[in-house]
Amino acid sequence: MPVPRPTPRGALVDIGGRRLHVVRAGLVRSDRPLVLLEAGAFGFSADWAAVQAGLAERGFASIAYDRAGLGLSDPGPLPRDGAAIGADAEALLDRLAPSGPLILCGHSMAGLHVHRLAGRLRDRVVGLVLVDAATPQSMNSRLVSAAVAQFAGLSRLAAWGAGAGLLNPLARTPLGDRIGLAGEVGDHKRWAFADAAHNSAAADEAAEWPAIARQALAAGELNPEWPVAVILAGAPDARSGLKTLMMAPAVNSRSGWVEHVASANHASMLAGPHADVIVGAVERVCAAAMEIEA
């Protein structure tokens, strides 16, 4: 039996004939930068529930949303590449927060979206938090590009399985919510795990990963003055070339740092005590940005 479709936790926001599902948290009018949260592949607003709660407690306003076709958002035109996804994010910001400083926070594949958006919103961005996040430069690695191609194929297989109803029995197992979310957001995550439309849209994004990386690179290098926190799951591993690539944005920042969370994995980074690590990184990026401005 399928997990019931959830009631939206936030609101459906029109961005010009299409609606994106958005969850806002924290003070509407805060003297701190607004935090825009971008979920990774197959992820959406529910992924950030624990982080948003922690940010609100620290006085930050945040926005998490479902990209087009994911979660409860309306589908968008193909291809779902960086240009399309970025245009939606900019339209959403124009609708909800047309001015003011921004901290961009991205998990996994969303590191590419954050990079491109930062390049387009240079006058507003004051810092970045990258959580086990991909970098556009990593596509220069043959191993990474091969893994991305394999992931795209598996994503299309998952979409087929969801359409055939094969994922419904797995939705209520730990596979349905590998983050470990609580309450209604956990139910929301399990629903999306087996939902055909959600999986199809996620597969459309995965197919465009190489294009998304190229478009992120075309947006230019990150400003070295921006404070950048890179948070990585697992213990440090000097032999990991992938982790070296993921650390690069922090290494290239004049106010950057890397934090390893040994007890976390790629998914569990977003919930439980690990969510507090992300919240702390946002707070530290904010403080560093204020020092630079002063």
Side-chain angles (χ1 to χ4, degrees):
M1 179 180 296
V3 177
R5 181 180 176 86
T7 301
R9 293 168 45 240
L12 293 170
V13 177
D14 190 293
I15 60 167
R18 292 186 289 115
R19 302 171 303 165
L20 297 181
H21 174 233
V22 181
V23 178
R24 305 182 72 175
L27 300 173
V28 175
R29 295 179 180 175
S30 172
D31 59 352
R32 294 181 165 189
L34 173 68
V35 184
L36 179 67
L37 300 158
E38 277 282 0
F42 285 81
F44 59 113
S45 58
D47 294 24
W48 293 109
V51 173
Q52 283 195 287
L55 288 171
E57 290 178 0
R58 305 283 184 93
F60 286 92
S62 66
I63 293 176
Y65 75 105
D66 306 351
R67 292 190 292 274
L70 301 178
L72 299 176
S73 287
D74 294 337
L78 297 177
R80 298 313 301 165
D81 60 5
I85 290 168
D88 284 358
E90 290 183 55
L92 184 64
L93 287 170
D94 286 344
R95 178 74 173 80
L96 298 180
S99 62
L102 297 169
I103 292 175
L104 304 181
C105 181
H107 174 237
S108 191
M109 182 185 182
L112 306 177
H113 302 314
V114 163
H115 187 114
R116 184 180 183 279
L117 193 60
R120 289 184 56 83
L121 301 178
R122 291 182 182 274
D123 293 340
R124 295 188 61 184
V125 170
V126 298
L128 293 86
V129 177
L130 301 172
V131 183
D132 236 26
T135 63
Q137 293 83 0
S138 65
M139 285 299 292
N140 294 328
S141 163
R142 290 184 180 179
L143 288 176
V144 172
S145 60
V148 165
Q150 183 180 43
F151 176 73
L154 292 172
S155 298
R156 191 56 66 192
L157 183 62
W160 174 84
L166 300 180
L167 301 187
N168 288 327
L170 300 175
R172 290 182 171 85
T173 73
L175 285 175
D177 173 21
R178 287 177 294 175
I179 295 174
L181 299 166
E184 64 175 341
V185 289
D187 293 338
H188 198 164
K189 188 70 175 172
R190 283 184 283 274
W191 163 80
F193 172 83
D195 182 70
H198 174 87
N199 278 272
S200 179
D204 288 339
E205 288 188 356
E208 297 298 328
W209 190 315
I212 292 169
R214 290 193 299 271
Q215 291 161 343
L217 280 174
E221 296 291 335
L222 299 177
N223 185 341
E225 298 298 330
W226 289 333
V228 177
V230 169
I231 307 172
L232 299 176
D237 184 357
R239 299 168 299 173
S240 173
L242 177 59
K243 284 195 173 183
T244 299
L245 291 168
M246 295 166 78
M247 290 189 288
V251 173
N252 295 333
S253 166
R254 295 191 177 96
S255 303
W257 72 95
V258 177
E259 187 166 357
H260 298 269
V261 186
S263 58
N265 61 42
H266 187 65
S268 70
M269 286 286 291
L270 301 178
H274 308 313
D276 292 337
V277 177
I278 300 172
V279 173
V282 171
E283 199 162 38
R284 184 172 170 184
V285 163
C286 178
M290 292 176 65
E291 287 182 11
I292 292 171
E293 186 177 345

